[in-house]
């Protein structure tokens, strides 16, 4: 597609429910990132994939958070047993790992706003 | 660890005027990138401008330009001829290139953001 897409755009979950958030990166982008953005704050890094390999998951806040990208394209961020503090916008971004230095940068999707009640 | 600080939570400017958003960062790295991203109320984060740390020349993109002071670790964004469509939250971001298998990418570290309101 032309840009990064994410679904659903909005998700309301009751505390304790599991949720799954989907990201479709720009075609051909091997690098994929997930970020968490609390209200009024800057995004914070969660995890990074290069193709299907999860090379950095240092930002995942707890073992309730799990991400996968089994075929190196679409990625899913799963949150188990959601808590109120998980309420945030979850942003996905993709980039070319071997872009020219003059074109370095990540391209973001519209995000999924998760509200845990 | 790297940190990025935006000390202006909110700013406003009259249409057609010029405004400067400030950003400072802290790092011990010598090779890195700096970015300004724009996030309108629709929430789609848009890349505005990038600066390679090893380049002394300040980056420009149409009405957007930066003042990059590497020694002072300062990276401000100047918006000239402000337009109503420039109303958004602006984030300054730092990225160290991971290199190796990860190539020319790395995780972004964002500041807290500056909300810019352009008034007619």
């Amino acid at each position: 597609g032309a840009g990064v897409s994410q679904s659903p755009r909005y998700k309301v979950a009751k505390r304790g429910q599991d949720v799954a958030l989907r990201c479709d990166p720009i075609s051909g982008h091997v690098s994929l990132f997930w970020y968490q953005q609390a209200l009024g704050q800057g995004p914070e890094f969660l995890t990074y994939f290069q193709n299907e390999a999860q090379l950095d998951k240092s930002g995942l806040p707890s073992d309730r958070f799990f991400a996968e990208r089994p075929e190196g394209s679409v990625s899913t961020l799963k949150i188990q047993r959601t808590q109120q503090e998980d309420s945030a916008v979850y942003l996905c971004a993709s980039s070319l790992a071997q872009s020219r230095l003059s074109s370095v940068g990540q391209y973001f999707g519209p995000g999924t706003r998760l509200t845990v009640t | 660890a790297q940190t990025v600080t935006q000390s202006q939570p909110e700013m406003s400017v009259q249409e057609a005027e010029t405004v400067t958003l400030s950003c400072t960062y802290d790092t011990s790295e010598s090779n890195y990138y700096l970015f300004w991203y724009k996030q309108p109320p629709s929430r789609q984060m848009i890349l505005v401008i990038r600066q390679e740390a090893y380049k002394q020349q300040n980056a420009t993109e149409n009405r957007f330009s930066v003042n990059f002071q590497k020694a002072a670790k300062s990276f401000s964004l100047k918006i000239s001829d402000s337009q109503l469509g420039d109303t958004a939250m602006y984030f300054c971001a730092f990225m160290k290139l991971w290199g190796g298998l990860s190539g020319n990418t790395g995780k972004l570290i964002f500041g807290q953001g500056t909300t810019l309101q352009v008034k007619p």
Side-chain angles (χ1 to χ4, degrees), chain A residues 62-97:
Chain A
S62 77
D63 58 8
R64 295 186 296 104
F65 287 71
F66 172 77
E68 61 183 4
R69 193 185 184 197
E71 297 179 357
S73 55
V74 171
S75 177
T76 304
L77 176 67
K78 298 179 179 178
I79 309 174
Q80 298 176 325
R81 305 181 303 281
T82 52
Q83 304 294 314
Q84 283 192 315
E85 60 264 28
D86 300 336
S87 295
V89 175
Y90 291 85
L91 297 171
C92 176
S94 70
S95 69
L96 288 168

PDB file of all heavy atoms in Angstrom, chain A residues 62-97:
ATOM      1  N   SER A  62       5.949  -5.200  29.997  1.00  0.00           N
ATOM      2  CA  SER A  62       5.770  -6.377  30.839  1.00  0.00           C
ATOM      3  C   SER A  62       5.620  -7.602  29.944  1.00  0.00           C
ATOM      4  O   SER A  62       5.514  -7.487  28.719  1.00  0.00           O
ATOM      5  CB  SER A  62       4.528  -6.226  31.728  1.00  0.00           C
ATOM      6  OG  SER A  62       3.346  -6.456  30.976  1.00  0.00           O
ATOM      7  N   ASP A  63       5.596  -8.780  30.582  1.00  0.00           N
ATOM      8  CA  ASP A  63       5.446 -10.007  29.795  1.00  0.00           C
ATOM      9  C   ASP A  63       4.017 -10.202  29.309  1.00  0.00           C
ATOM     10  O   ASP A  63       3.711 -11.191  28.656  1.00  0.00           O
ATOM     11  CB  ASP A  63       5.926 -11.231  30.583  1.00  0.00           C
ATOM     12  CG  ASP A  63       5.185 -11.396  31.893  1.00  0.00           C
ATOM     13  OD1 ASP A  63       4.198 -10.665  32.124  1.00  0.00           O
ATOM     14  OD2 ASP A  63       5.591 -12.257  32.696  1.00  0.00           O
ATOM     15  N   ARG A  64       3.137  -9.245  29.597  1.00  0.00           N
ATOM     16  CA  ARG A  64       1.785  -9.307  29.021  1.00  0.00           C
ATOM     17  C   ARG A  64       1.782  -8.814  27.574  1.00  0.00           C
ATOM     18  O   ARG A  64       0.811  -9.015  26.856  1.00  0.00           O
ATOM     19  CB  ARG A  64       0.828  -8.451  29.854  1.00  0.00           C
ATOM     20  CG  ARG A  64       0.615  -8.945  31.280  1.00  0.00           C
ATOM     21  CD  ARG A  64      -0.462  -8.132  32.007  1.00  0.00           C
ATOM     22  NE  ARG A  64      -0.080  -6.734  32.176  1.00  0.00           N
ATOM     23  CZ  ARG A  64      -0.562  -5.730  31.449  1.00  0.00           C
ATOM     24  NH1 ARG A  64      -1.454  -5.968  30.487  1.00  0.00           N
ATOM     25  NH2 ARG A  64      -0.170  -4.495  31.678  1.00  0.00           N
ATOM     26  N   PHE A  65       2.867  -8.156  27.197  1.00  0.00           N
ATOM     27  CA  PHE A  65       2.983  -7.616  25.838  1.00  0.00           C
ATOM     28  C   PHE A  65       3.798  -8.575  24.980  1.00  0.00           C
ATOM     29  O   PHE A  65       4.889  -8.999  25.368  1.00  0.00           O
ATOM     30  CB  PHE A  65       3.678  -6.248  25.860  1.00  0.00           C
ATOM     31  CG  PHE A  65       2.830  -5.135  26.394  1.00  0.00           C
ATOM     32  CD1 PHE A  65       2.516  -5.058  27.742  1.00  0.00           C
ATOM     33  CD2 PHE A  65       2.350  -4.145  25.544  1.00  0.00           C
ATOM     34  CE1 PHE A  65       1.723  -4.018  28.234  1.00  0.00           C
ATOM     35  CE2 PHE A  65       1.573  -3.106  26.024  1.00  0.00           C
ATOM     36  CZ  PHE A  65       1.259  -3.048  27.367  1.00  0.00           C
ATOM     37  N   PHE A  66       3.257  -8.861  23.803  1.00  0.00           N
ATOM     38  CA  PHE A  66       3.904  -9.801  22.898  1.00  0.00           C
ATOM     39  C   PHE A  66       3.708  -9.313  21.470  1.00  0.00           C
ATOM     40  O   PHE A  66       2.625  -8.882  21.113  1.00  0.00           O
ATOM     41  CB  PHE A  66       3.285 -11.185  23.092  1.00  0.00           C
ATOM     42  CG  PHE A  66       3.736 -12.208  22.090  1.00  0.00           C
ATOM     43  CD1 PHE A  66       4.984 -12.796  22.206  1.00  0.00           C
ATOM     44  CD2 PHE A  66       2.924 -12.578  21.044  1.00  0.00           C
ATOM     45  CE1 PHE A  66       5.411 -13.736  21.285  1.00  0.00           C
ATOM     46  CE2 PHE A  66       3.322 -13.517  20.119  1.00  0.00           C
ATOM     47  CZ  PHE A  66       4.573 -14.100  20.241  1.00  0.00           C
ATOM     48  N   ALA A  67       4.750  -9.361  20.669  1.00  0.00           N
ATOM     49  CA  ALA A  67       4.636  -8.931  19.275  1.00  0.00           C
ATOM     50  C   ALA A  67       5.197 -10.005  18.367  1.00  0.00           C
ATOM     51  O   ALA A  67       6.117 -10.746  18.749  1.00  0.00           O
ATOM     52  CB  ALA A  67       5.378  -7.613  19.049  1.00  0.00           C
ATOM     53  N   GLU A  68       4.643 -10.095  17.171  1.00  0.00           N
ATOM     54  CA  GLU A  68       5.126 -11.064  16.202  1.00  0.00           C
ATOM     55  C   GLU A  68       4.998 -10.514  14.796  1.00  0.00           C
ATOM     56  O   GLU A  68       4.197  -9.620  14.531  1.00  0.00           O
ATOM     57  CB  GLU A  68       4.349 -12.381  16.332  1.00  0.00           C
ATOM     58  CG  GLU A  68       2.863 -12.250  16.083  1.00  0.00           C
ATOM     59  CD  GLU A  68       2.131 -13.578  16.304  1.00  0.00           C
ATOM     60  OE1 GLU A  68       2.774 -14.567  16.720  1.00  0.00           O
ATOM     61  OE2 GLU A  68       0.920 -13.618  16.049  1.00  0.00           O
ATOM     62  N   ARG A  69       5.790 -11.106  13.908  1.00  0.00           N
ATOM     63  CA  ARG A  69       5.779 -10.716  12.490  1.00  0.00           C
ATOM     64  C   ARG A  69       6.208 -11.957  11.692  1.00  0.00           C
ATOM     65  O   ARG A  69       7.284 -12.008  11.126  1.00  0.00           O
ATOM     66  CB  ARG A  69       6.751  -9.549  12.257  1.00  0.00           C
ATOM     67  CG  ARG A  69       6.593  -8.857  10.915  1.00  0.00           C
ATOM     68  CD  ARG A  69       7.674  -7.803  10.715  1.00  0.00           C
ATOM     69  NE  ARG A  69       7.468  -7.065   9.468  1.00  0.00           N
ATOM     70  CZ  ARG A  69       8.412  -6.330   8.881  1.00  0.00           C
ATOM     71  NH1 ARG A  69       9.622  -6.227   9.426  1.00  0.00           N
ATOM     72  NH2 ARG A  69       8.145  -5.687   7.758  1.00  0.00           N
ATOM     73  N   PRO A  70       5.372 -12.973  11.704  1.00  0.00           N
ATOM     74  CA  PRO A  70       5.782 -14.314  11.262  1.00  0.00           C
ATOM     75  C   PRO A  70       6.262 -14.417   9.823  1.00  0.00           C
ATOM     76  O   PRO A  70       7.111 -15.265   9.529  1.00  0.00           O
ATOM     77  CB  PRO A  70       4.531 -15.155  11.504  1.00  0.00           C
ATOM     78  CG  PRO A  70       3.402 -14.182  11.573  1.00  0.00           C
ATOM     79  CD  PRO A  70       3.977 -12.929  12.135  1.00  0.00           C
ATOM     80  N   GLU A  71       5.743 -13.593   8.913  1.00  0.00           N
ATOM     81  CA  GLU A  71       6.149 -13.699   7.516  1.00  0.00           C
ATOM     82  C   GLU A  71       6.921 -12.483   7.049  1.00  0.00           C
ATOM     83  O   GLU A  71       7.133 -12.291   5.853  1.00  0.00           O
ATOM     84  CB  GLU A  71       4.914 -13.939   6.636  1.00  0.00           C
ATOM     85  CG  GLU A  71       4.208 -15.243   6.958  1.00  0.00           C
ATOM     86  CD  GLU A  71       2.974 -15.471   6.104  1.00  0.00           C
ATOM     87  OE1 GLU A  71       2.627 -14.580   5.295  1.00  0.00           O
ATOM     88  OE2 GLU A  71       2.347 -16.535   6.245  1.00  0.00           O
ATOM     89  N   GLY A  72       7.330 -11.664   7.997  1.00  0.00           N
ATOM     90  CA  GLY A  72       8.154 -10.516   7.641  1.00  0.00           C
ATOM     91  C   GLY A  72       7.415  -9.355   7.030  1.00  0.00           C
ATOM     92  O   GLY A  72       8.049  -8.432   6.501  1.00  0.00           O
ATOM     93  N   SER A  73       6.078  -9.369   7.095  1.00  0.00           N
ATOM     94  CA  SER A  73       5.334  -8.213   6.590  1.00  0.00           C
ATOM     95  C   SER A  73       4.400  -7.702   7.686  1.00  0.00           C
ATOM     96  O   SER A  73       4.821  -6.882   8.493  1.00  0.00           O
ATOM     97  CB  SER A  73       4.571  -8.560   5.315  1.00  0.00           C
ATOM     98  OG  SER A  73       3.729  -9.683   5.522  1.00  0.00           O
ATOM     99  N   VAL A  74       3.170  -8.216   7.753  1.00  0.00           N
ATOM    100  CA  VAL A  74       2.210  -7.781   8.774  1.00  0.00           C
ATOM    101  C   VAL A  74       2.726  -8.138  10.164  1.00  0.00           C
ATOM    102  O   VAL A  74       3.326  -9.197  10.378  1.00  0.00           O
ATOM    103  CB  VAL A  74       0.845  -8.456   8.527  1.00  0.00           C
ATOM    104  CG1 VAL A  74      -0.101  -8.214   9.683  1.00  0.00           C
ATOM    105  CG2 VAL A  74       0.258  -7.957   7.212  1.00  0.00           C
ATOM    106  N   SER A  75       2.481  -7.231  11.105  1.00  0.00           N
ATOM    107  CA  SER A  75       2.863  -7.479  12.495  1.00  0.00           C
ATOM    108  C   SER A  75       1.642  -7.328  13.390  1.00  0.00           C
ATOM    109  O   SER A  75       0.730  -6.548  13.098  1.00  0.00           O
ATOM    110  CB  SER A  75       3.941  -6.496  12.935  1.00  0.00           C
ATOM    111  OG  SER A  75       4.274  -6.671  14.292  1.00  0.00           O
ATOM    112  N   THR A  76       1.653  -8.086  14.482  1.00  0.00           N
ATOM    113  CA  THR A  76       0.585  -7.998  15.477  1.00  0.00           C
ATOM    114  C   THR A  76       1.193  -7.757  16.839  1.00  0.00           C
ATOM    115  O   THR A  76       2.152  -8.436  17.229  1.00  0.00           O
ATOM    116  CB  THR A  76      -0.243  -9.302  15.500  1.00  0.00           C
ATOM    117  OG1 THR A  76      -0.753  -9.557  14.195  1.00  0.00           O
ATOM    118  CG2 THR A  76      -1.405  -9.171  16.479  1.00  0.00           C
ATOM    119  N   LEU A  77       0.647  -6.792  17.537  1.00  0.00           N
ATOM    120  CA  LEU A  77       1.019  -6.529  18.929  1.00  0.00           C
ATOM    121  C   LEU A  77      -0.134  -7.036  19.786  1.00  0.00           C
ATOM    122  O   LEU A  77      -1.277  -6.616  19.606  1.00  0.00           O
ATOM    123  CB  LEU A  77       1.237  -5.040  19.163  1.00  0.00           C
ATOM    124  CG  LEU A  77       1.541  -4.613  20.602  1.00  0.00           C
ATOM    125  CD1 LEU A  77       2.890  -5.152  21.056  1.00  0.00           C
ATOM    126  CD2 LEU A  77       1.503  -3.093  20.750  1.00  0.00           C
ATOM    127  N   LYS A  78       0.173  -7.955  20.676  1.00  0.00           N
ATOM    128  CA  LYS A  78      -0.855  -8.543  21.532  1.00  0.00           C
ATOM    129  C   LYS A  78      -0.606  -8.131  22.974  1.00  0.00           C
ATOM    130  O   LYS A  78       0.532  -8.150  23.444  1.00  0.00           O
ATOM    131  CB  LYS A  78      -0.840 -10.065  21.400  1.00  0.00           C
ATOM    132  CG  LYS A  78      -1.163 -10.562  19.992  1.00  0.00           C
ATOM    133  CD  LYS A  78      -1.108 -12.077  19.909  1.00  0.00           C
ATOM    134  CE  LYS A  78      -1.462 -12.545  18.484  1.00  0.00           C
ATOM    135  NZ  LYS A  78      -1.368 -14.034  18.346  1.00  0.00           N
ATOM    136  N   ILE A  79      -1.673  -7.752  23.630  1.00  0.00           N
ATOM    137  CA  ILE A  79      -1.613  -7.414  25.045  1.00  0.00           C
ATOM    138  C   ILE A  79      -2.571  -8.342  25.778  1.00  0.00           C
ATOM    139  O   ILE A  79      -3.771  -8.371  25.496  1.00  0.00           O
ATOM    140  CB  ILE A  79      -1.987  -5.943  25.301  1.00  0.00           C
ATOM    141  CG1 ILE A  79      -1.177  -5.005  24.391  1.00  0.00           C
ATOM    142  CG2 ILE A  79      -1.748  -5.590  26.771  1.00  0.00           C
ATOM    143  CD1 ILE A  79      -1.601  -3.545  24.474  1.00  0.00           C
ATOM    144  N   GLN A  80      -2.031  -9.090  26.696  1.00  0.00           N
ATOM    145  CA  GLN A  80      -2.863 -10.025  27.469  1.00  0.00           C
ATOM    146  C   GLN A  80      -3.275  -9.378  28.783  1.00  0.00           C
ATOM    147  O   GLN A  80      -2.537  -8.559  29.351  1.00  0.00           O
ATOM    148  CB  GLN A  80      -2.066 -11.307  27.742  1.00  0.00           C
ATOM    149  CG  GLN A  80      -1.668 -12.056  26.472  1.00  0.00           C
ATOM    150  CD  GLN A  80      -0.795 -13.267  26.762  1.00  0.00           C
ATOM    151  OE1 GLN A  80       0.025 -13.249  27.684  1.00  0.00           O
ATOM    152  NE2 GLN A  80      -0.976 -14.315  25.985  1.00  0.00           N
ATOM    153  N   ARG A  81      -4.453  -9.763  29.248  1.00  0.00           N
ATOM    154  CA  ARG A  81      -4.955  -9.308  30.554  1.00  0.00           C
ATOM    155  C   ARG A  81      -4.763  -7.803  30.720  1.00  0.00           C
ATOM    156  O   ARG A  81      -4.073  -7.335  31.613  1.00  0.00           O
ATOM    157  CB  ARG A  81      -4.239 -10.067  31.676  1.00  0.00           C
ATOM    158  CG  ARG A  81      -4.344 -11.585  31.554  1.00  0.00           C
ATOM    159  CD  ARG A  81      -3.636 -12.301  32.710  1.00  0.00           C
ATOM    160  NE  ARG A  81      -2.230 -11.933  32.816  1.00  0.00           N
ATOM    161  CZ  ARG A  81      -1.256 -12.416  32.062  1.00  0.00           C
ATOM    162  NH1 ARG A  81      -1.534 -13.274  31.094  1.00  0.00           N
ATOM    163  NH2 ARG A  81      -0.003 -12.031  32.253  1.00  0.00           N
ATOM    164  N   THR A  82      -5.388  -7.051  29.827  1.00  0.00           N
ATOM    165  CA  THR A  82      -5.173  -5.603  29.781  1.00  0.00           C
ATOM    166  C   THR A  82      -5.455  -4.938  31.122  1.00  0.00           C
ATOM    167  O   THR A  82      -6.360  -5.338  31.873  1.00  0.00           O
ATOM    168  CB  THR A  82      -6.051  -4.945  28.705  1.00  0.00           C
ATOM    169  OG1 THR A  82      -7.424  -5.348  28.888  1.00  0.00           O
ATOM    170  CG2 THR A  82      -5.593  -5.329  27.313  1.00  0.00           C
ATOM    171  N   GLN A  83      -4.670  -3.895  31.395  1.00  0.00           N
ATOM    172  CA  GLN A  83      -4.811  -3.088  32.602  1.00  0.00           C
ATOM    173  C   GLN A  83      -5.084  -1.645  32.185  1.00  0.00           C
ATOM    174  O   GLN A  83      -4.783  -1.248  31.047  1.00  0.00           O
ATOM    175  CB  GLN A  83      -3.528  -3.159  33.433  1.00  0.00           C
ATOM    176  CG  GLN A  83      -3.096  -4.563  33.817  1.00  0.00           C
ATOM    177  CD  GLN A  83      -4.088  -5.208  34.769  1.00  0.00           C
ATOM    178  OE1 GLN A  83      -4.528  -4.589  35.735  1.00  0.00           O
ATOM    179  NE2 GLN A  83      -4.443  -6.458  34.492  1.00  0.00           N
ATOM    180  N   GLN A  84      -5.593  -0.839  33.105  1.00  0.00           N
ATOM    181  CA  GLN A  84      -5.911   0.543  32.771  1.00  0.00           C
ATOM    182  C   GLN A  84      -4.679   1.308  32.313  1.00  0.00           C
ATOM    183  O   GLN A  84      -4.779   2.174  31.430  1.00  0.00           O
ATOM    184  CB  GLN A  84      -6.571   1.246  33.954  1.00  0.00           C
ATOM    185  CG  GLN A  84      -8.032   0.861  34.128  1.00  0.00           C
ATOM    186  CD  GLN A  84      -8.748   1.759  35.103  1.00  0.00           C
ATOM    187  OE1 GLN A  84      -8.225   2.061  36.164  1.00  0.00           O
ATOM    188  NE2 GLN A  84      -9.965   2.173  34.750  1.00  0.00           N
ATOM    189  N   GLU A  85      -3.529   0.987  32.859  1.00  0.00           N
ATOM    190  CA  GLU A  85      -2.314   1.708  32.475  1.00  0.00           C
ATOM    191  C   GLU A  85      -1.869   1.383  31.045  1.00  0.00           C
ATOM    192  O   GLU A  85      -0.957   2.028  30.517  1.00  0.00           O
ATOM    193  CB  GLU A  85      -1.163   1.417  33.445  1.00  0.00           C
ATOM    194  CG  GLU A  85      -0.760  -0.033  33.544  1.00  0.00           C
ATOM    195  CD  GLU A  85      -1.405  -0.743  34.717  1.00  0.00           C
ATOM    196  OE1 GLU A  85      -2.521  -0.340  35.125  1.00  0.00           O
ATOM    197  OE2 GLU A  85      -0.790  -1.707  35.215  1.00  0.00           O
ATOM    198  N   ASP A  86      -2.498   0.406  30.420  1.00  0.00           N
ATOM    199  CA  ASP A  86      -2.186   0.091  29.026  1.00  0.00           C
ATOM    200  C   ASP A  86      -2.901   1.038  28.067  1.00  0.00           C
ATOM    201  O   ASP A  86      -2.603   1.037  26.865  1.00  0.00           O
ATOM    202  CB  ASP A  86      -2.601  -1.344  28.689  1.00  0.00           C
ATOM    203  CG  ASP A  86      -1.900  -2.388  29.534  1.00  0.00           C
ATOM    204  OD1 ASP A  86      -0.786  -2.095  30.046  1.00  0.00           O
ATOM    205  OD2 ASP A  86      -2.461  -3.482  29.714  1.00  0.00           O
ATOM    206  N   SER A  87      -3.831   1.839  28.577  1.00  0.00           N
ATOM    207  CA  SER A  87      -4.547   2.793  27.716  1.00  0.00           C
ATOM    208  C   SER A  87      -3.562   3.774  27.110  1.00  0.00           C
ATOM    209  O   SER A  87      -2.815   4.458  27.821  1.00  0.00           O
ATOM    210  CB  SER A  87      -5.606   3.546  28.524  1.00  0.00           C
ATOM    211  OG  SER A  87      -6.614   2.672  28.981  1.00  0.00           O
ATOM    212  N   ALA A  88      -3.534   3.834  25.788  1.00  0.00           N
ATOM    213  CA  ALA A  88      -2.577   4.654  25.057  1.00  0.00           C
ATOM    214  C   ALA A  88      -2.879   4.519  23.567  1.00  0.00           C
ATOM    215  O   ALA A  88      -3.744   3.738  23.172  1.00  0.00           O
ATOM    216  CB  ALA A  88      -1.141   4.196  25.332  1.00  0.00           C
ATOM    217  N   VAL A  89      -2.137   5.270  22.769  1.00  0.00           N
ATOM    218  CA  VAL A  89      -2.151   5.059  21.326  1.00  0.00           C
ATOM    219  C   VAL A  89      -0.928   4.227  20.971  1.00  0.00           C
ATOM    220  O   VAL A  89       0.190   4.536  21.404  1.00  0.00           O
ATOM    221  CB  VAL A  89      -2.125   6.389  20.550  1.00  0.00           C
ATOM    222  CG1 VAL A  89      -2.014   6.135  19.048  1.00  0.00           C
ATOM    223  CG2 VAL A  89      -3.389   7.198  20.851  1.00  0.00           C
ATOM    224  N   TYR A  90      -1.149   3.177  20.215  1.00  0.00           N
ATOM    225  CA  TYR A  90      -0.059   2.307  19.801  1.00  0.00           C
ATOM    226  C   TYR A  90       0.241   2.596  18.329  1.00  0.00           C
ATOM    227  O   TYR A  90      -0.608   2.435  17.461  1.00  0.00           O
ATOM    228  CB  TYR A  90      -0.426   0.843  20.045  1.00  0.00           C
ATOM    229  CG  TYR A  90      -0.479   0.551  21.524  1.00  0.00           C
ATOM    230  CD1 TYR A  90      -1.640   0.797  22.256  1.00  0.00           C
ATOM    231  CD2 TYR A  90       0.647   0.096  22.205  1.00  0.00           C
ATOM    232  CE1 TYR A  90      -1.675   0.592  23.620  1.00  0.00           C
ATOM    233  CE2 TYR A  90       0.614  -0.120  23.571  1.00  0.00           C
ATOM    234  CZ  TYR A  90      -0.541   0.136  24.272  1.00  0.00           C
ATOM    235  OH  TYR A  90      -0.567  -0.066  25.627  1.00  0.00           O
ATOM    236  N   LEU A  91       1.472   3.041  18.106  1.00  0.00           N
ATOM    237  CA  LEU A  91       1.903   3.445  16.772  1.00  0.00           C
ATOM    238  C   LEU A  91       2.842   2.414  16.169  1.00  0.00           C
ATOM    239  O   LEU A  91       3.708   1.871  16.865  1.00  0.00           O
ATOM    240  CB  LEU A  91       2.633   4.792  16.842  1.00  0.00           C
ATOM    241  CG  LEU A  91       1.823   5.991  17.327  1.00  0.00           C
ATOM    242  CD1 LEU A  91       2.729   7.188  17.561  1.00  0.00           C
ATOM    243  CD2 LEU A  91       0.754   6.347  16.319  1.00  0.00           C
ATOM    244  N   CYS A  92       2.662   2.170  14.900  1.00  0.00           N
ATOM    245  CA  CYS A  92       3.547   1.297  14.143  1.00  0.00           C
ATOM    246  C   CYS A  92       4.291   2.163  13.132  1.00  0.00           C
ATOM    247  O   CYS A  92       3.728   3.118  12.578  1.00  0.00           O
ATOM    248  CB  CYS A  92       2.729   0.229  13.434  1.00  0.00           C
ATOM    249  SG  CYS A  92       3.673  -0.861  12.359  1.00  0.00           S
ATOM    250  N   ALA A  93       5.555   1.856  12.900  1.00  0.00           N
ATOM    251  CA  ALA A  93       6.352   2.589  11.918  1.00  0.00           C
ATOM    252  C   ALA A  93       7.202   1.598  11.143  1.00  0.00           C
ATOM    253  O   ALA A  93       7.597   0.553  11.667  1.00  0.00           O
ATOM    254  CB  ALA A  93       7.241   3.624  12.601  1.00  0.00           C
ATOM    255  N   SER A  94       7.486   1.935   9.886  1.00  0.00           N
ATOM    256  CA  SER A  94       8.349   1.071   9.096  1.00  0.00           C
ATOM    257  C   SER A  94       9.402   1.892   8.375  1.00  0.00           C
ATOM    258  O   SER A  94       9.260   3.113   8.211  1.00  0.00           O
ATOM    259  CB  SER A  94       7.529   0.245   8.095  1.00  0.00           C
ATOM    260  OG  SER A  94       6.989   1.050   7.054  1.00  0.00           O
ATOM    261  N   SER A  95      10.462   1.234   7.977  1.00  0.00           N
ATOM    262  CA  SER A  95      11.522   1.918   7.242  1.00  0.00           C
ATOM    263  C   SER A  95      12.318   0.905   6.436  1.00  0.00           C
ATOM    264  O   SER A  95      12.256  -0.306   6.674  1.00  0.00           O
ATOM    265  CB  SER A  95      12.448   2.676   8.201  1.00  0.00           C
ATOM    266  OG  SER A  95      13.205   1.784   8.986  1.00  0.00           O
ATOM    267  N   LEU A  96      13.073   1.442   5.492  1.00  0.00           N
ATOM    268  CA  LEU A  96      14.005   0.622   4.733  1.00  0.00           C
ATOM    269  C   LEU A  96      15.278   0.482   5.553  1.00  0.00           C
ATOM    270  O   LEU A  96      15.842   1.495   5.974  1.00  0.00           O
ATOM    271  CB  LEU A  96      14.345   1.295   3.401  1.00  0.00           C
ATOM    272  CG  LEU A  96      13.250   1.308   2.329  1.00  0.00           C
ATOM    273  CD1 LEU A  96      13.641   2.257   1.206  1.00  0.00           C
ATOM    274  CD2 LEU A  96      13.016  -0.095   1.787  1.00  0.00           C
ATOM    275  N   ALA A  97      15.741  -0.726   5.785  1.00  0.00           N
ATOM    276  CA  ALA A  97      16.968  -0.901   6.560  1.00  0.00           C
ATOM    277  C   ALA A  97      18.179  -0.408   5.799  1.00  0.00           C
ATOM    278  O   ALA A  97      19.145   0.050   6.392  1.00  0.00           O
ATOM    279  CB  ALA A  97      17.159  -2.368   6.941  1.00  0.00           C
TER     280      ALA A  97
END
